[in-house]
Amino acid sequence: MGKIIAIANQKGGVGKTTTSVNLAASLGVLEKKVLLIDADPQANATSGLGVAVTPSTVGTYQLLEHTATAKECIVGTSSPNLWVIPAHIDLVAIEIELVDKEAREYMLREALGSIKDDYDYILIDCAPSLGLLTLNALTAADSVMIPIQCEYFALEGLGKLLNTIKSVQKLHNTELDIEGLLLTMYDSRLRLSNQVVDEVKKHFDEMVFETIIQRNVRLGEAPSYGESIISYDAGSTGANNYLHLAHELIEKNR
């Protein structure tokens, strides 16, 4: 039975796409069958895996519009055991187009029903907003992973996201769990980074992943080559961090 995990935070630049791509690649390397859905109009997860999108490519937009089935949208990647449903800039229009549709929050859940059991994990890279795209992802997901960067405004906006998750649990998806909070962009030399880690652990305790993603130059370079950190530099700190996170996730879901 596949597990759908939305990777969400309405703040931009917290490491959502980096986490989506590299966690997906790490799970694939650990012999799990993984599908990554790019639900962000910026389409960075798509390009970060070296998937070329043309005007004729079908992807998340068509999936949400129900003009293509999930199977028709899936594209292979060069990463082992990893497939992707790509995004395109036209995804920007979906929020407006869905707005007057009935059951608009359930479009993604409905579309994924037929393929959910074909994968061990389905990861959804969410847009940095709490709009209809993210709402669809949270309604379709079994759980949500929240990346938080180890910086000054880390906890700002987290309350808003947790309230959104609560209302999704109440109205659209009673089964939605919080998979965990993931600390990203950690720099052990900075007192601030350590303060944020302490603060988040103090407030959220059990909800925080043991794995912390450290600031790593190689992590930033990999997407420009259209590769995950695992393919780009398997010996780097970033690759170790994400493999560790993948192990932790697998253990948690045994």
Side-chain angles (χ1 to χ4, degrees):
M1 179 81 172
K3 181 164 198 182
I4 302 178
I5 302 174
I7 297 172
N9 189 332
Q10 79 274 26
K11 277 172 80 82
V14 297
K16 280 188 298 294
T17 300
T18 303
T19 295
S20 303
V21 166
N22 294 310
L23 175 58
S26 300
L27 288 165
V29 165
L30 297 175
E31 298 185 347
K32 298 293 177 190
K33 199 176 173 194
V34 186
L35 175 66
L36 174 60
I37 299 171
D38 193 345
D40 182 350
Q42 294 174 72
N44 290 339
T46 302
S47 61
L49 281 168
V51 175
V53 175
T54 66
S56 62
T57 306
V58 291
T60 314
Y61 179 80
Q62 288 78 8
L63 188 70
L64 286 162
E65 281 273 279
H66 290 182
T67 53
T69 65
K71 278 204 168 97
E72 290 167 336
C73 297
I74 294 167
V75 177
T77 73
S78 57
S79 238
N81 303 315
L82 174 58
W83 288 262
V84 68
I85 293 182
H88 187 277
I89 190 66
D90 60 8
L91 192 56
V92 163
I94 200 78
E95 307 233 339
I96 298 155
E97 289 173 29
L98 289 182
V99 103
D100 52 2
K101 295 234 170 125
E102 213 170 297
R104 58 184 180 262
E105 301 91 350
Y106 298 93
M107 294 298 186
L108 189 57
R109 179 196 273 193
E110 221 172 281
L112 295 180
S114 62
I115 60 153
K116 185 174 179 185
D117 294 339
D118 297 348
Y119 297 90
D120 296 308
Y121 292 96
I122 297 177
L123 303 184
I124 308 172
D125 182 28
C126 295
S129 77
L130 294 177
L132 208 42
L133 266 173
T134 300
L135 191 55
N136 260 276
L138 294 175
T139 303
D142 298 306
S143 66
V144 54
M145 182 184 288
I146 306 169
I148 298 173
Q149 85 279 44
C150 296
E151 280 166 16
Y152 183 66
F153 292 115
L155 296 174
E156 199 187 59
L158 188 58
K160 203 172 176 187
L161 177 61
L162 294 173
N163 285 338
T164 301
I165 291 167
K166 263 191 203 133
S167 69
V168 170
Q169 285 166 329
K170 205 155 62 184
L171 299 170
H172 308 298
N173 183 1
T174 50
E175 305 292 296
L176 183 65
D177 261 338
I178 293 180
E179 191 68 47
L181 276 63
L182 175 69
L183 290 156
T184 63
M185 303 181 196
Y186 172 74
D187 186 338
S188 58
R189 296 165 305 179
L190 299 179
R191 200 171 79 211
L192 180 61
S193 270
N194 294 303
Q195 283 172 340
V196 171
V197 170
D198 293 344
E199 195 76 2
V200 171
K201 286 188 169 169
K202 191 174 84 189
H203 279 84
F204 298 101
D205 192 29
E206 295 291 291
M207 284 163 67
V208 186
F209 279 101
E210 249 173 64
T211 307
I212 294 178
I213 309 299
Q214 288 162 275
R215 231 178 233 296
N216 180 238
V217 175
R218 308 297 272 170
L219 267 180
E221 290 171 358
S224 60
Y225 293 89
E227 291 183 24
S228 73
I229 190 64
I230 308 297
S231 322
Y232 181 64
D233 186 351
S236 66
T237 303
N240 282 331
N241 289 167
Y242 278 109
L243 281 166
H244 201 276
L245 177 64
H247 276 295
E248 193 177 342
L249 186 66
I250 293 166
E251 276 306 309
K252 210 175 169 184
N253 287 288
R254 273 203 197 288

